[in-house]
Amino acid sequence: MNFMASKIPTPVPVAPKTRPKQGDDGGNLVLERKTQKTKPPQMFQVVMLNDDYTPMEFVVVVIQEFFSKDRETATQIMLKIHLDGKAICGVYSRDVAATKVEQVQEAARQAGHPLQCVSEPVD
Ligand code: TYC
């Protein structure tokens, strides 16, 4: 039996040699720079308000805990609130700012202090 006779080589397709036409990218991916369309999200500042009753130490601890400030920075912010009536504790996305306000309000409620803070859009 002649095994070699049944082994017909399969023709390998060869790509035709083509030259890119005028204005053709020759099959390459062309990336075009587009003008940025997405605006950065609106940010919200959490503003804490002064009152006559909440202990200074409580405010310092709240600012440390919920706004991730060290004790010195938290004390400076607390004193600014005490002297100016209010101060910004941090700037966040809408949802994070709303959560901070809830956390502060819940901590104040549990401790029986009238401490208030609000979230407001940054211009
Ligand atoms: N004014 C308060 C006092 O004299 C202290 C205080 C500071 C309260 C900041 C609230 O957000 C506040 N005990």
Side-chain angles (χ1 to χ4, degrees):
M1 197 181 276
N2 186 354
F3 293 103
M4 296 299 283
S6 62
K7 205 143 190 344
I8 301 161
T10 315
V12 178
V14 177
K17 280 191 180 160
T18 55
R19 305 183 93 242
K21 288 184 246 111
Q22 195 74 23
D24 191 350
D25 61 19
N28 292 324
L29 178 63
V30 177
L31 299 176
E32 288 178 19
R33 191 174 293 280
K34 289 268 163 63
T35 310
Q36 185 91 20
K37 276 184 229 152
T38 50
K39 290 177 278 150
Q42 171 77 65
M43 299 301 279
F44 289 74
Q45 56 195 25
V46 178
V47 177
M48 198 168 289
L49 308 176
N50 189 34
D51 66 71
D52 293 337
Y53 306 102
T54 304
M56 290 183 173
E57 174 62 20
F58 181 81
V59 178
V60 171
V61 170
V62 161
I63 294 171
Q64 280 184 261
E65 187 164 328
F66 297 122
F67 300 96
S68 306
K69 307 297 187 199
D70 60 37
R71 187 156 179 91
E72 290 69 33
T73 304
T75 302
Q76 285 172 9
I77 295 171
M78 182 279 295
L79 286 173
K80 181 170 172 59
I81 303 165
H82 180 71
L83 296 172
D84 296 353
K86 61 182 181 179
I88 298 166
C89 291
V91 178
Y92 307 95
S93 64
R94 180 194 299 269
D95 289 0
V96 173
T99 300
K100 302 281 179 196
V101 170
E102 282 178 13
Q103 288 172 324
V104 171
Q105 286 175 340
E106 179 57 14
R109 191 196 64 75
Q110 278 185 28
H113 300 312
L115 182 62
Q116 290 294 317
C117 71
V118 295
S119 165
E120 53 187 48
V122 180
D123 328 292

